[in-house]
Amino acid sequence: MACRFFCKPNIRCFKINMAIVILLVALIFVSNYDFLHHEWKTRQTGKRKITDTITPCIRNITVRGSPLKRGNYIKRLHFDPNENKVIVFLHIQKTGGSTFDWRLVRTLNVTPKCKCKLKAKSCRCLNNKGNVWLYSGRFSTGWVCGVHADWTELTECIDVYFDKRDKLHRNRSYLYMTMLREPIQRYMSEWKHVQRGATWEKQPKCNHRKVTAKQLPMCFNTSWRHVPLDDFINCPHNLAINRQTRMLANLSLVDCYNTSTISKPERERIMLESAKNNLKDMAYFGLTEFQEQNQRLFEFKFAVNFTDYFSQKETSNAQMATNKISPAQFERIKQLNHLDIELYKYAKKLYFERIENIT
């Protein structure tokens, strides 16, 4: 029957069809060879052509534990800066957020791109109508909603900021994004950063009001430079404790930083559940430990690509510092950050379910 598509059934026809099949197979082989050769070359240089194909392929992923459940399908959308969509990057300290922010402003292949001056830290990310399409504290808009504003601060502030900037209220679709990191490593990284003199000094806001010093006492007077790890651990008001859970939760649900109105176990339960829900509903989140997968997931979700490959650090100062602490210190840090540990387990499971569903 197949022979009739090309000629009348006979031996000559059979030979013609076989020649056509062999030619098609050869063409497929050559095209795959060219793609793989190009992929290998770009992996060596770390550079990509702007015209590189966006592929959802995720490789070299190992997930320990029980089999993941399918059903967490990804709703794809084509990100176009000229529509009413705005990327809002919630930057949690010491999660690789500055690197991700830099990639958004420097290597995200969209039109129009962010305009960055050669030596300037900040960039202007405006669409063809002059509207901002990327909100990020370090490299785009600046910390207009507060330094490292959390979910509660951002959702209370973001519309007000854009209405004031644009001098009108219009419907905008906010695409919230964040990065998470293994909690012990993140905590240790923050300790080393504070030891070098960083403070991120600010009074957080919640329910449109600044948190009082009575609700959130400071762990230090002017600087915590050279702080020993035990002192860092022993301050009960240290915002490094369960930072990822707190920054992703709706703090209005627990009366903000007022810890006298809800019991500690109930407060923690509500915060953790809220953080999980907000993370699940975000347009995108990545994990610091899986940079290649972060890139593939982003490119699949938003149908855009980056002009460079995401690179993965083999080691960090936090890892080296963690190897030097005592078992007692390590256990204490685990106990303090039990909410973040639980959140990260949930995030990792959710993350790899999404990865599984785009392969």
Side-chain angles (χ1 to χ4, degrees):
M1 292 295 293
C3 199
R4 293 177 184 176
F5 287 101
F6 303 104
C7 58
K8 293 180 180 180
N10 53 39
I11 295 176
R12 182 172 177 271
C13 173
F14 176 77
K15 291 180 178 179
I16 292 172
N17 283 342
M18 285 299 295
I20 292 171
V21 170
I22 291 169
L23 179 61
L24 288 173
V25 171
L27 287 172
I28 292 170
F29 175 81
V30 170
S31 62
N32 283 338
Y33 173 82
D34 288 343
F35 170 77
L36 292 171
H37 181 65
H38 166 73
E39 183 79 1
W40 180 84
K41 285 183 69 178
T42 52
R43 285 286 173 191
Q44 303 308 306
T45 61
K47 299 291 183 182
R48 304 174 82 182
K49 292 182 180 179
I50 291 177
T51 55
D52 275 0
T53 304
I54 301 169
T55 60
C57 177
I58 310 293
R59 295 182 297 275
N60 301 324
I61 298 174
T62 303
V63 187
R64 294 181 180 178
S66 59
L68 296 171
K69 295 180 180 178
R70 285 191 174 270
N72 183 23
Y73 296 107
I74 301 172
K75 182 180 179 181
R76 299 190 70 188
L77 61 90
H78 184 277
F79 177 69
D80 183 352
N82 298 303
E83 297 176 352
N84 285 330
K85 295 183 177 69
V86 182
I87 292 174
V88 179
F89 178 48
L90 194 163
H91 185 170
I92 301 172
Q93 290 96 315
K94 311 314 294 176
T95 59
S98 294
T99 301
F100 181 69
D101 191 351
W102 186 91
R103 286 166 175 158
L104 288 174
V105 300
R106 295 281 182 171
T107 68
L108 187 61
N109 182 27
V110 293
T111 304
K113 295 180 175 63
C114 296
K115 293 183 179 179
C116 306
K117 293 182 179 178
L118 189 61
K119 294 184 179 181
K121 282 189 175 181
S122 61
C123 304
R124 288 170 58 83
C125 302
L126 306 178
N127 63 17
N128 291 334
K129 300 175 184 177
N131 297 322
V132 174
W133 60 263
L134 171 62
Y135 173 94
S136 65
R138 186 170 298 280
F139 294 122
S140 176
T141 54
W143 307 108
V144 295
C145 288
V147 179
H148 289 283
D150 58 31
W151 187 93
T152 307
E153 291 173 303
L154 281 175
T155 53
E156 290 177 353
C157 159
I158 200 74
D159 235 10
V160 175
Y161 163 71
F162 278 113
D163 286 354
K164 185 176 180 180
R165 183 199 174 277
D166 298 342
K167 297 180 180 178
L168 59 88
H169 178 75
R170 60 185 178 87
N171 292 325
R172 307 178 190 90
S173 176
Y174 297 116
L175 305 175
Y176 280 86
M177 303 180 183
T178 196
M179 296 290 294
L180 294 181
R181 185 177 181 182
E182 192 284 316
I184 306 300
Q185 295 297 311
R186 198 218 64 79
Y187 182 88
M188 292 295 292
S189 182
E190 182 162 341
W191 166 57
K192 297 301 291 184
H193 199 57
V194 169
Q195 225 185 21
R196 294 191 294 270
T199 58
W200 300 297
E201 289 182 11
K202 71 159 189 171
Q203 284 298 104
K205 284 185 177 182
C206 185
N207 285 342
H208 302 283
R209 295 191 301 270
K210 282 190 176 182
V211 177
T212 65
K214 183 179 179 180
Q215 293 173 333
L216 187 63
M218 296 286 287
C219 292
F220 55 90
N221 292 323
T222 57
S223 174
W224 224 4
R225 186 184 291 272
H226 307 306
V227 58
L229 178 58
D230 286 336
D231 290 355
F232 193 76
I233 290 172
N234 291 331
C235 178
H237 310 292
N238 188 350
L239 291 178
I241 300 169
N242 293 312
R243 180 181 287 282
Q244 296 177 108
T245 302
R246 189 187 67 257
M247 289 188 68
L248 290 177
N250 179 358
L251 298 181
S252 300
L253 299 175
V254 293
D255 200 12
C256 299
Y257 289 82
N258 183 359
T259 59
S260 64
T261 57
I262 304 175
S263 67
K264 184 176 180 180
E266 181 66 6
R267 178 184 176 84
E268 290 185 344
R269 184 194 68 79
I270 294 172
M271 284 178 57
L272 181 58
E273 191 66 25
S274 176
K276 287 180 178 179
N277 288 334
N278 289 336
L279 182 70
K280 181 180 66 175
D281 292 339
M282 282 188 167
Y284 168 86
F285 73 89
L287 302 178
T288 308
E289 295 78 16
F290 302 96
Q291 292 298 326
E292 179 181 350
Q293 291 89 336
N294 290 344
Q295 179 173 4
R296 298 288 183 168
L297 190 59
F298 188 102
E299 293 179 343
F300 180 86
K301 167 74 178 183
F302 300 108
V304 295
N305 67 348
F306 292 87
T307 56
D308 284 351
Y309 282 105
F310 288 18
S311 59
Q312 183 77 53
K313 284 187 177 181
E314 294 298 325
T315 186
S316 67
N317 292 331
Q319 288 174 320
M320 291 186 286
T322 304
N323 292 335
K324 297 177 182 178
I325 67 176
S326 70
Q329 288 173 322
F330 185 82
E331 286 302 315
R332 180 63 176 142
I333 293 169
K334 278 180 64 178
Q335 292 169 6
L336 285 173
N337 292 280
H338 65 282
L339 295 181
D340 271 10
I341 290 171
E342 191 63 33
L343 176 66
Y344 188 77
K345 286 180 183 177
Y346 171 82
K348 198 171 180 180
K349 180 177 182 293
L350 183 64
Y351 179 86
F352 281 108
E353 284 178 359
R354 293 179 177 181
I355 294 292
E356 189 179 72
N357 281 302
I358 66 173
T359 55

